[in-house]
Amino acid sequence: MSFLHRTAVLLVVALLALALLPAVAQGGQHLLEERAAPAASTQGTFALVSSFNDGGTYASYGWKVLTGRSPAISSSVNYFGEPSLKIPAGSSVSNSRSVVPGGQFISFQVAVSSPSSTTLFSIVNQAGEQLFTVGVDGAAIYAGTSPASLSSVGNAPSVSAYPANWVYLSGNIYDSSTNKAFSWTAQLFVDGSSSYLATVSVPAAYQYAGVELSVPSGQKAAGYATGVVFSSYEIPIYIPGYNPMEGYGQGSGLLVSNLKPFTILQATMTLDNWNVPEGGILSYQINAMNYYGATRSSCVGFFQLGVDLNPNGHISPWYVPGKNCFAHYFLHSNNPAVQPGFLTPQGSKLQLSIVDSPANKTITFSIVDLGVSTSSGNRYWNATIPYNGTDFYASYTQLEFQPSSSYPISQYYFNGSMSGLSYGSTPSKLSPLNEDYMLPFTLNAPPGWSFTYYNNQTAGYRQIA
């Protein structure tokens, strides 16, 4: 089966979509495709992250009042439990924290609830002038270069995994100039990234310096927004034919920053419930990368650990050993054929760890199933491979679907979560991965999926499919 790394396309989306084809299923094997990102530099990168889940004030998250009344953080109007920023009618707020102007590519996400008003999200320049604006009025979506130029571009999907009265917006804005014409273009997505909602010409977007949230004068009610991310890192990705996937983190050539070198990555995966018609198609996993794998789109230096979610309550644990693109199913023969797996109860918790042991020149992959006990303790899977490379420098998570399925993606259901995502080099002193590093990404993700929001308190997030 094709097993594709999360794919990043920074400035040449159309060209890469033509040039890079998905892997072909070969003999029942999980074959990984390299992520289509160029070697990344962290020079000039940035990430403004504002999710209102750490108990601060609007000012502590970097927001400043431009017009009207001050906003307030609301827990009663929330996004999967995440508090939101309430913007009164006739008011606007802006944020430029951490933004580095002058790049060739920017990306954003924001969740908006505006059932009784119109709420606007804008990219602005240093003078506060709007360069690109998206408006949400109930389920109706508008876009243009400014509030005065908005036109209808469509509606949010009527069937979606997102909460009622909430719309998840994301987009890429990039230099699409040719040698004959200067041009910047915005690609807008709503509730996923399985297709564009609209493309908009935004010639002045190169002046970007921050973002703005506003509810125009004359509206009868406040608007609400949360989960704001504005970054040089690509969030929504659309390449027809590639594996749908989404998750949090950085690496495989798509970076804002590297982590400090570490040798241990661990997480707790909770499998609340799932119902799938075919095995070897839907999987959930964590990834650790050495320096080469962090900064390049490559199967080299890419270490992956996860499970297939299989029919009848089965899971099939596997790992990827960092020097090829095949998943190995914890068999002594390292047979890459897809395995039917093992029965585990709905609601099982799995403890996952990837551990580099420099003194032993090995990497060990381990999964412990806390939902199944045996005479010698909880069921577990371990595998150790030889390794003599650098420490790890990056990590991200994935839910992934294989398009080789005989059934449509809508027939695969999963509810679960990641928590306790942490890293370090001393088992007793691991550091949680926080939202400033764990940036969101969606690749061909349908509206029936949602990765909710990244919660610093749990160092994790809920995943719905």
Side-chain angles (χ1 to χ4, degrees):
M1 306 295 176
S2 172
F3 211 153
L4 170 68
H5 286 192
R6 174 167 57 102
T7 306
V9 187
L10 297 181
L11 300 175
V12 287
V13 174
L15 292 176
L16 284 173
L18 293 173
L20 296 169
L21 298 177
V24 177
Q26 298 182 6
Q29 300 172 347
H30 272 316
L31 175 61
L32 282 83
E33 183 81 15
E34 297 174 4
R35 196 165 87 174
S41 168
T42 57
Q43 184 175 1
T45 58
F46 70 91
L48 182 163
V49 180
S50 186
S51 59
F52 311 111
N53 68 77
D54 285 336
T57 65
Y58 75 87
S60 70
Y61 291 106
W63 294 92
K64 299 178 181 179
V65 178
L66 298 176
T67 59
R69 292 177 290 161
S70 297
I73 294 177
S74 170
S75 58
S76 59
V77 179
N78 61 76
Y79 175 73
F80 292 110
E82 177 185 13
S84 64
L85 188 66
K86 177 181 179 181
I87 304 108
S91 302
S92 61
V93 292
S94 68
N95 198 334
S96 59
R97 177 176 288 180
S98 305
V99 175
V100 179
Q104 302 293 301
F105 180 95
I106 49 178
S107 196
F108 69 87
Q109 76 162 32
V110 59
V112 177
S113 178
S114 195
S116 304
S117 63
T118 298
T119 299
L120 307 178
F121 173 82
S122 301
I123 308 299
V124 298
N125 63 17
Q126 289 184 333
E129 299 166 332
Q130 292 93 355
L131 309 173
F132 172 64
T133 297
V134 185
V136 177
D137 185 349
I141 313 297
Y142 302 84
T145 55
S146 69
S149 67
L150 294 180
S151 60
S152 175
V153 294
N155 295 295
S158 58
V159 178
S160 171
Y162 290 86
N165 295 324
W166 283 93
V167 176
Y168 172 73
L169 298 170
S170 60
N172 300 315
I173 305 173
Y174 59 96
D175 185 354
S176 55
S177 301
T178 68
N179 59 356
K180 295 182 179 180
F182 174 79
S183 177
W184 274 60
T185 299
Q187 301 169 334
L188 178 63
F189 301 82
V190 59
D191 285 6
S193 61
S194 55
S195 64
Y196 302 139
L197 181 68
T199 58
V200 181
S201 176
V202 286
Y206 69 93
Q207 301 174 13
Y208 74 86
V211 295
E212 178 185 297
L213 289 164
S214 62
V215 176
S217 298
Q219 299 294 306
K220 296 181 180 180
Y224 299 82
T226 194
V228 180
V229 180
F230 179 51
S231 183
S232 56
Y233 171 103
E234 187 172 24
I235 298 170
I237 307 165
Y238 174 56
I239 306 178
Y242 271 84
N243 295 20
M245 59 186 74
E246 64 185 13
Y248 283 94
Q250 301 180 42
S252 293
L254 187 57
L255 299 169
V256 170
S257 61
N258 282 308
L259 294 168
K260 294 180 179 179
F262 64 99
T263 58
I264 302 170
L265 175 67
Q266 70 176 27
T268 297
M269 179 187 291
T270 301
L271 309 178
D272 289 321
N273 54 77
W274 68 99
N275 185 5
V276 302
E278 187 176 2
I281 298 297
L282 189 65
S283 61
Y284 202 26
Q285 56 248 32
I286 62 173
N287 310 314
M289 285 137 279
N290 66 17
Y291 190 79
Y292 189 94
T295 58
R296 292 166 176 82
S297 172
S298 174
C299 293
V300 176
F302 182 89
F303 305 91
Q304 192 170 43
L305 180 64
V307 298
D308 290 344
L309 301 158
N310 287 344
N312 303 315
H314 284 65
I315 60 171
S316 191
W318 50 261
Y319 65 96
V320 170
K323 61 181 179 181
N324 59 40
C325 287
F326 292 100
H328 296 261
Y329 282 86
F330 287 97
L331 300 175
H332 293 301
S333 64
N334 281 336
N335 183 345
V338 171
Q339 301 296 303
F342 305 86
L343 183 67
T344 194
Q346 306 273 326
S348 280
K349 290 185 181 294
L350 308 179
Q351 292 182 338
L352 282 69
S353 62
I354 304 174
V355 179
D356 172 21
S357 300
N360 298 324
K361 297 183 179 180
T362 60
I363 287 178
T364 298
F365 302 86
S366 175
I367 298 179
V368 180
D369 187 341
L370 300 180
V372 178
S373 297
T374 68
S375 58
S376 58
N378 291 109
R379 185 171 60 194
Y380 67 90
W381 298 268
N382 287 336
T384 299
I385 62 170
Y387 177 70
N388 193 26
T390 70
D391 290 349
F392 303 138
Y393 283 82
S395 177
Y396 60 86
T397 67
Q398 286 172 270
L399 178 76
E400 183 171 11
F401 176 82
Q402 313 300 324
S404 57
S405 171
S406 303
Y407 301 85
I409 194 171
S410 59
Q411 293 190 26
Y412 289 78
Y413 302 95
F414 171 66
N415 282 280
S417 64
M418 289 280 191
S419 62
L421 281 155
S422 53
Y423 74 107
S425 294
T426 303
S428 61
K429 297 181 180 180
L430 299 183
S431 300
L433 288 162
N434 63 36
E435 64 180 0
D436 291 330
Y437 178 82
M438 298 298 280
L439 300 176
F441 72 92
T442 65
L443 195 165
N444 295 353
W449 287 18
S450 174
F451 51 8
T452 66
Y453 73 99
Y454 195 86
N455 188 331
N456 284 336
Q457 280 71 46
T458 62
Y461 63 99
R462 285 177 53 205
Q463 176 69 61
I464 300 169

